[in-house]
Amino acid sequence: MSDTALTDQQIVDADAQLLYIGNTGTVEFDLTLPTEGKNGSTVTWATSDERWIQTDGTVHMPEYGRGDRDVTLTATLTHGDATATREFTVKVLEQANKIKVKEFFPIELNVKAGSTFELPMFAAVRTDDDRLLSQRINWDDGVEHTAGEPGEESFHGLIDGSTIDAHATVHVHAEDPQAPVDATAKVSPVSISHVRLTGDGFLARNQARRLEFLRTVDDDQMLVEFRRAAGLDTKGAPDMIGWDAPDSLLRGHTTGHYLSALALAYAASGDETIKSKLDYVVASLAEVQDAFEGKEGIHPGFLSAYSEFQFDKLQEYAPYPTIWAPYYTLHKILAGLIDAYNYAGNQTALDVASKVGDWTYDRLSKLPHEQLQNMWSMYIAGEFGGMNESLANLYALTHEPKHLAAARLFDNDRLMVPMRQHVDSLGGMHANQHIPQVIGSVKLFEATGVPYYLDQAKFFYDSVLGHHIYALGGTGQGEMFHQPDEIGNLIFDNTAESCASYNMLKLSAELYRYFPEDAKFGDYYERTTVNHIAASTDQVPEGGSLYFFQTQPGGQKSFDVENSCCHGTGLESHFYYAEGAYYTDADALYVRLYLNGTLDDEAAKLTVSVEDVKPEHVTIDVEHLAKKTLRLRVPGWSVDGKVAVSMNGEAVEPIVVEAARTDSGELAFTADELGLDTFDGARIELDFEPHMHLFPTPDRPELAAVAWGPYVLAALSDETKYLDVPVNESDPDAAFVREPGTLTFTHQATGLKFVPLEQIEFEHYHAYVRVK
């Protein structure tokens, strides 16, 4: 070897510096990744995300609308015993917008003369292949405008990434066309604090198991990342795992869910141990918020399990997974604090939440409307959970105008403008990213009286229930909404995310306050609670929850304890069972769900008795009713709305029952109509008529779920192909025999056993079968 020969280390170091892979700032094509260095070293490659760049240089551009992706490629060079590495940051551009539009739905705005307004940055289109989509619009004259004199103004733009024209007509009025209306709800919910589940039914068992689990949780572990971020003593607590691990960008979200779970558990049980844990966590978060005060880069009121870095990067449009939904995590924390105040009276929680609301307004109010819309339309990175809901709830408590103003800064054109156009363009949107925003829309109607907030929320709800729901009440495949009425072609292992049902139930309970005459709210709430939420928890007190509810043939439940989003909502959801059960107005008590338990409220004190295996027979013992009218839901699963009523052991004449039936199908009784002076001391018994029925998929009607009464049933089988289960649609009961005293049904022609989804633990099952 000569004196000028390079050592192995010099070779790899030199080759590392000489590596060149081309333009890495705007990558649209496959990369050539060298496997040998200039001086003979061997080069191997690793990628931070194989979804976008594989180790052989193959590039997969994200779909249009998903955003560009930053990927780190790491080259490892070896020669002899020496190694060196070099990293390249590569930006993979999203695909071009290849849309072909058949129909552009009209954009019509109504504004007041002299007011400022923003043109919608998204609107609905129908493509040549009949897909309904929300598309971004780039307006020729920008987004923000001032209305002139009364009359009409027209604006022109292009659909983003295309040469397709977009038009908007702005109707200018002398008076404000969006003037607030009376936003008083027609009915008010009775808090879960006044309801106790009793007996050994599966809802009560689920709630007891989840309560037992919460008692075992290490509170300091839930706080460890907050304390670490704020420079406080972590008290030797172990690290969090999964989505809350020290290197996770979503850390802190489970702690927010945990706060809500403790508050809800205390409300549903009165357990003082749970309240002590809640008070400790709240006090500790207040210490964290105080410790953040004055730190470099931290602004007053900030509270998270990391610095403000992700919030800063979002404003620069950093994509996921460079950042991971910072406002989503903040929403969980803020919601938990508000729940701690509302359900457990913790004043410190409200004080901390109020400061978070101030921080949010102070940051976002400085940003232009267009920047906010760009942020909120970003896939995952811009996901903000229900920040608008929580801030509107906060405003209802603090009456601080900037909390309401902050809530309205989360208005999201991509979702809401098509809803206002009454076009179901949900296809391609992340389901649980957007459902909480609609809950916030209802709360903003309540706070502002602006009509479109309620209108768009109702249209969204009707669209999802009418066109995007699996039989068990869940929605979404692969976390995404798809085109309307596409269910049968989406029977897979990643359907019906539990988070989405959690939020759809919250939305249902909120909307029912304004539409109590609509029977579908009670039916949906019961179906989804009994068949999805109640079926999503493990049957041992370990806190496990389903992420997806598998619907494919031979599916099997898999319970997640990794602090995912659905693990977080699963901590809460089993204490929400009574959320949609009771409502009141000036004259009446509304019974929406028949839960085995008690109600003790100033409106009523009563006991409801109903068994899981006999949902058709309900007994209501009224100790006291302070309302004139008792309104009783007749479930949609009762044949032709049939119901028999008895009062104090005596049958009520059918003519009296039918006279009490309202347009929505419920029964509205006054005491005198039943021959009573008062309901106090009365026993009311209801007998419904459950039957077998089918939930066929709209796009493949030969595939259907089988149900009896409120229960969706699944066939027990590890077969991985669709089972043939012939059923006469005009008489489904004839195909099945029920085992006495159980909820097990046998299909007579095949011998297959069908059981409720809730009863299934680890058995393989078929949620959908071929019925014809």
Side-chain angles (χ1 to χ4, degrees):
M1 178 181 290
S2 68
D3 291 342
T4 58
L6 298 175
T7 67
D8 288 343
Q9 191 62 52
Q10 288 172 327
I11 288 173
V12 295
D13 288 344
D15 283 356
Q17 293 302 312
L18 292 170
L19 272 181
Y20 177 70
I21 62 173
N23 172 33
T24 59
T26 54
V27 172
E28 301 176 84
F29 305 101
D30 293 344
L31 297 172
T32 300
L33 301 181
T35 58
E36 184 175 332
K38 296 290 187 183
N39 294 294
S41 62
T42 299
V43 185
T44 58
W45 293 89
T47 175
S48 64
D49 200 328
E50 284 198 340
R51 292 175 300 175
W52 316 120
I53 306 180
Q54 296 176 228
T55 54
D56 64 358
T58 301
V59 171
H60 302 282
M61 298 170 66
E63 295 177 7
Y64 171 77
R66 295 292 183 90
D68 303 335
R69 291 292 187 270
D70 289 330
V71 180
T72 300
L73 291 177
T74 303
T76 300
L77 300 92
T78 59
H79 196 275
D81 294 329
T83 63
T85 61
R86 183 175 172 189
E87 290 186 350
F88 297 83
T89 299
V90 181
K91 182 178 291 296
V92 181
L93 300 182
E94 68 176 358
Q95 297 175 27
N97 193 0
K98 302 173 184 177
I99 193 169
K100 295 181 179 179
V101 173
K102 181 187 332 185
E103 181 180 6
F104 184 88
F105 290 93
I107 299 176
E108 305 270 347
L109 272 70
N110 290 281
V111 302
K112 182 181 178 181
S115 67
T116 59
F117 66 92
E118 294 86 21
L119 293 174
M121 289 181 59
F122 289 80
V125 302
R126 188 188 303 275
T127 65
D128 278 5
D129 56 357
D130 280 325
R131 289 177 300 142
L132 295 168
L133 300 173
S134 181
Q135 289 288 293
R136 182 189 171 98
I137 302 169
N138 299 320
W139 296 104
D140 295 349
D141 298 320
V143 174
E144 300 188 39
H145 297 272
T146 300
E149 296 298 316
E152 284 189 0
E153 301 179 16
S154 297
F155 295 86
H156 176 268
L158 297 175
I159 292 178
D160 186 54
S162 78
T163 58
I164 301 171
D165 292 324
H167 299 274
T169 302
V170 177
H171 304 278
V172 182
H173 304 263
E175 301 297 328
D176 186 1
Q178 295 296 338
V181 300
D182 182 4
T184 304
K186 295 179 181 178
V187 296
S188 301
V190 176
S191 171
I192 61 174
S193 301
H194 298 286
V195 184
R196 295 288 182 266
L197 302 188
T198 58
D200 62 354
F202 62 83
L203 296 182
R205 291 197 304 271
N206 285 352
Q207 197 171 93
R209 281 195 294 262
R210 196 46 50 103
L211 188 65
E212 183 179 347
F213 170 74
L214 290 179
R215 293 192 191 105
T216 70
V217 174
D218 182 342
D219 298 329
D220 289 319
Q221 184 179 21
M222 282 287 178
L223 293 160
V224 65
E225 292 304 324
F226 289 85
R227 287 169 169 160
R228 183 174 288 143
L232 296 175
D233 179 8
T234 60
K235 301 184 183 298
D239 288 339
M240 294 285 283
I241 63 171
W243 292 16
D244 281 272
D247 60 350
S248 172
L249 295 175
L250 209 69
R251 60 190 183 273
H253 82 110
T254 297
T255 305
H257 284 297
Y258 180 58
L259 271 177
S260 288
L262 291 174
L264 292 162
Y266 175 67
S269 69
D271 188 305
E272 290 296 332
T273 299
I274 293 294
K275 186 175 187 304
S276 295
K277 290 168 72 68
L278 175 64
D279 291 342
Y280 176 77
V281 175
V282 168
S284 299
L285 290 175
E287 291 173 359
V288 169
Q289 190 179 55
D290 289 343
F292 269 129
E293 190 83 27
K295 285 187 177 293
E296 184 177 356
I298 303 295
H299 297 84
F302 179 72
L303 177 63
S304 280
Y306 42 72
S307 71
E308 293 193 31
F309 168 79
Q310 290 199 74
F311 298 93
D312 295 336
K313 296 300 291 183
L314 176 60
Q315 291 176 199
E316 300 170 7
Y317 309 138
Y320 170 79
T322 302
I323 61 172
W324 191 356
Y327 283 101
Y328 169 93
T329 300
L330 187 64
H331 164 244
K332 305 310 171 192
I333 299 165
L334 182 57
L337 292 165
I338 294 171
D339 285 340
Y341 176 76
N342 282 335
Y343 290 109
N346 189 303
Q347 181 62 47
T348 300
L350 181 59
D351 295 341
V352 174
S354 183
K355 293 177 184 177
V356 172
D358 293 347
W359 175 89
T360 305
Y361 175 79
D362 292 342
R363 171 179 277 271
L364 295 180
S365 62
K366 299 181 177 73
L367 305 182
H369 175 81
E370 188 166 1
Q371 185 175 6
L372 290 171
Q373 293 302 317
N374 288 337
M375 288 160 55
W376 307 148
S377 63
M378 291 177 66
Y379 176 73
I380 299 296
E383 182 176 5
F384 59 77
M387 279 296 293
N388 53 352
E389 175 205 5
S390 285
L391 287 164
N393 286 336
L394 183 64
Y395 168 72
L397 299 171
T398 66
H399 307 292
E400 173 55 60
K402 64 182 179 181
H403 293 159
L404 179 58
R408 300 191 73 176
L409 293 172
F410 289 92
D411 284 1
N412 180 6
D413 281 2
R414 185 187 179 208
L415 173 67
M416 294 306 183
V417 171
M419 295 299 105
R420 292 202 286 274
Q421 294 176 299
H422 286 194
V423 180
D424 178 356
S425 62
L426 296 173
M429 292 192 191
H430 187 281
N432 197 55
Q433 181 170 347
H434 294 96
I435 301 169
Q437 300 178 24
V438 186
I439 303 171
S441 188
V442 182
K443 302 306 291 187
L444 280 169
F445 173 71
E446 183 179 5
T448 66
V450 174
Y452 64 72
Y453 279 123
L454 185 62
D455 176 74
Q456 65 196 21
K458 182 63 161 54
F459 182 82
F460 174 92
Y461 183 82
D462 290 344
S463 297
V464 175
L465 258 65
H467 305 284
H468 297 272
I469 288 289
Y470 291 89
L472 72 159
T475 188
Q477 182 268 320
E479 300 191 2
M480 308 297 289
F481 285 123
H482 293 263
Q483 288 300 304
D485 298 317
E486 190 175 4
I487 297 293
N489 288 325
L490 300 172
I491 305 295
F492 296 119
D493 62 352
N494 59 348
T495 50
E497 184 184 6
S498 294
C499 280
S501 285
Y502 160 92
N503 279 309
M504 282 298 296
L505 287 172
K506 291 181 70 173
L507 176 59
S508 188
E510 289 295 339
L511 281 171
Y512 179 74
R513 299 185 303 126
Y514 291 98
F515 302 98
E517 67 283 354
D518 194 333
K520 71 171 173 285
F521 290 101
D523 286 340
Y524 174 77
Y525 205 99
E526 179 181 53
R527 179 173 24 148
T528 308
T529 296
V530 167
N531 297 296
H532 194 184
I533 297 302
S536 68
T537 178
D538 57 12
Q539 298 192 15
V540 291
E542 294 179 357
S545 296
L546 294 183
Y547 196 120
F548 293 115
F549 201 107
Q550 298 185 14
T551 53
Q552 88 282 15
Q556 187 180 33
K557 292 181 180 180
S558 177
F559 298 103
D560 170 28
V561 295
E562 290 289 309
N563 291 330
S564 69
C565 54
C566 293
H567 174 266
T569 54
L571 295 177
E572 304 176 38
S573 57
H574 306 286
F575 303 108
Y576 266 127
Y577 289 148
E579 180 73 5
Y582 301 101
Y583 292 81
T584 62
D585 62 19
D587 296 318
L589 171 71
Y590 295 70
V591 183
R592 303 288 84 193
L593 299 177
Y594 298 107
L595 302 177
N596 198 54
T598 62
L599 169 66
D600 190 353
D601 172 74
E602 62 182 21
K605 186 171 185 178
L606 52 82
T607 300
V608 176
S609 301
V610 56
E611 299 177 43
D612 295 345
V613 294
K614 293 189 68 178
E616 69 271 28
H617 182 74
V618 179
T619 300
I620 303 174
D621 289 304
V622 181
E623 183 174 331
H624 177 63
L625 181 61
K627 299 292 183 177
K628 176 183 176 182
T629 305
L630 182 62
R631 300 178 73 105
L632 304 170
R633 169 176 162 260
V634 177
W637 47 259
S638 188
V639 178
D640 298 325
K642 291 181 180 178
V643 56
V645 181
S646 68
M647 178 65 62
N648 295 331
E650 297 291 331
V652 177
E653 291 293 330
I655 191 171
V656 176
V657 174
E658 290 309 307
R661 199 181 292 265
T662 67
D663 291 342
S664 64
E666 71 182 352
L667 304 179
F669 290 115
T670 60
D672 62 317
E673 288 169 342
L674 295 171
L676 302 173
D677 295 328
T678 173
F679 278 111
D680 293 0
R683 166 169 284 195
I684 305 160
E685 293 179 83
L686 307 172
D687 285 285
F688 306 114
E689 292 195 19
H691 65 113
M692 303 296 298
H693 51 283
L694 301 177
F695 288 109
T697 64
D699 49 335
R700 296 183 64 185
E702 75 277 10
L703 298 179
V706 176
W708 178 85
Y711 302 115
V712 175
L713 310 173
L716 298 179
S717 170
D718 57 8
E719 174 62 61
T720 56
K721 296 180 180 178
Y722 282 110
L723 300 173
D724 287 309
V725 182
V727 176
N728 183 340
E729 291 184 59
S730 64
D731 185 16
D733 291 288
F736 297 88
V737 173
R738 181 182 180 185
E739 293 184 9
T742 74
L743 290 171
T744 299
F745 297 80
T746 302
H747 183 253
Q748 297 190 80
T750 63
L752 287 166
K753 301 291 186 183
F754 282 76
V755 299
L757 299 177
E758 182 279 331
Q759 290 187 5
I760 297 170
E761 190 170 12
F762 295 112
E763 304 93 328
H764 290 274
Y765 62 87
H766 288 239
Y768 284 88
V769 293
R770 189 182 289 111
V771 295
K772 60 182 178 181

